Amino acid sequence: DGAEPPRQITAVSGAGVVHSSLSPDGTRVECVSREAGHSDLWVQNVDGSNLRQITNDDPAESWPVWSPDGRLIAFNSLRDGRRETWRVAADGGLPEKMLDGFFRGDWVPRPDGRGEWIVTSLGGPVESGVRLLDVESRSVLWERRLPGTALSLPVFSPDKRSISLAGLVAGALILLHGG
């Protein structure tokens, strides 16, 4: 309700925190920090305890988002000049590539209960738009080019049947709706 004043919950010292994401149960936060010298993923409890570095590699990681069950984290990774979508266990481990292409979006269970979807922006002025991914098959279900949406963060509606994203064309809010 906004009655409590904002409070810092991250425990990463020094180099700042960007691109945070709360776990589905609201008990943990995932963020990106350059604390270790390069852009890596960190996770901790929202009370500031149990800070853990999840990735520790040279590629720049960004835009983490939790899986619906809170076990995995998807993120964008810049590797050899290519943007790729990766995932890692929320408790750490070896990251694994999910597929080619930029990631900044949302991860939900499918409304029919048969798997999970990820929605992501395409990630650049030349590639403005949105893409829907099937997590289990690691495939692109569809892609829409939408000028002016390069910097958007697409998210699913609560019923998972619509996707909203902001557009820079006349300050538009775009809503994609499926059956």
Side-chain angles (χ1 to χ4, degrees):
D1 66 2
E4 292 186 36
R7 63 182 173 89
Q8 180 176 338
I9 61 171
T10 54
V12 177
S13 62
V17 173
V18 295
H19 307 161
S20 65
S21 178
L22 283 173
S23 64
D25 65 5
T27 63
R28 296 175 290 167
V29 63
E30 177 73 30
C31 63
V32 174
S33 176
R34 294 185 53 83
E35 177 70 13
H38 34 76
S39 182
D40 285 310
L41 303 179
W42 295 70
V43 68
Q44 70 172 65
N45 296 336
V46 295
D47 67 4
S49 66
N50 202 21
L51 176 65
R52 299 174 316 282
Q53 186 174 357
I54 301 299
T55 61
N56 186 10
D57 50 22
D58 289 335
E61 281 116 19
S62 58
W63 300 110
V65 68
W66 296 80
S67 63
D69 64 7
R71 293 184 16 206
L72 298 169
I73 297 165
F75 59 96
N76 180 66
S77 187
L78 184 60
R79 294 171 185 259
D80 299 321
R82 293 183 321 272
R83 295 175 184 214
E84 299 172 341
T85 302
W86 283 64
R87 71 181 181 185
V88 65
D91 295 330
L94 290 176
E96 65 176 324
K97 181 179 173 180
M98 292 179 72
L99 47 90
D100 291 330
F102 181 76
F103 174 79
R104 176 174 50 219
D106 198 6
W107 188 348
V108 298
R110 287 178 47 166
D112 62 11
R114 298 185 328 215
E116 297 171 344
W117 286 335
I118 287 178
V119 63
T120 179
S121 60
L122 296 180
V126 174
E127 296 187 292
S128 288
V130 64
R131 176 183 296 143
L132 183 67
L133 310 171
D134 179 81
V135 173
E136 285 70 31
S137 68
R138 297 183 184 195
S139 63
V140 176
L141 298 175
W142 56 258
E143 184 173 293
R144 301 284 185 277
R145 301 289 177 170
L146 300 165
T149 61
L151 301 176
S152 68
L153 173 63
V155 294
F156 287 99
S157 63
D159 68 1
K160 289 112 178 138
R161 296 190 186 282
S162 299
I163 298 165
S164 70
L165 65 155
L168 297 178
V169 180
L173 179 63
I174 298 166
L175 182 66
L176 302 174
H177 183 73

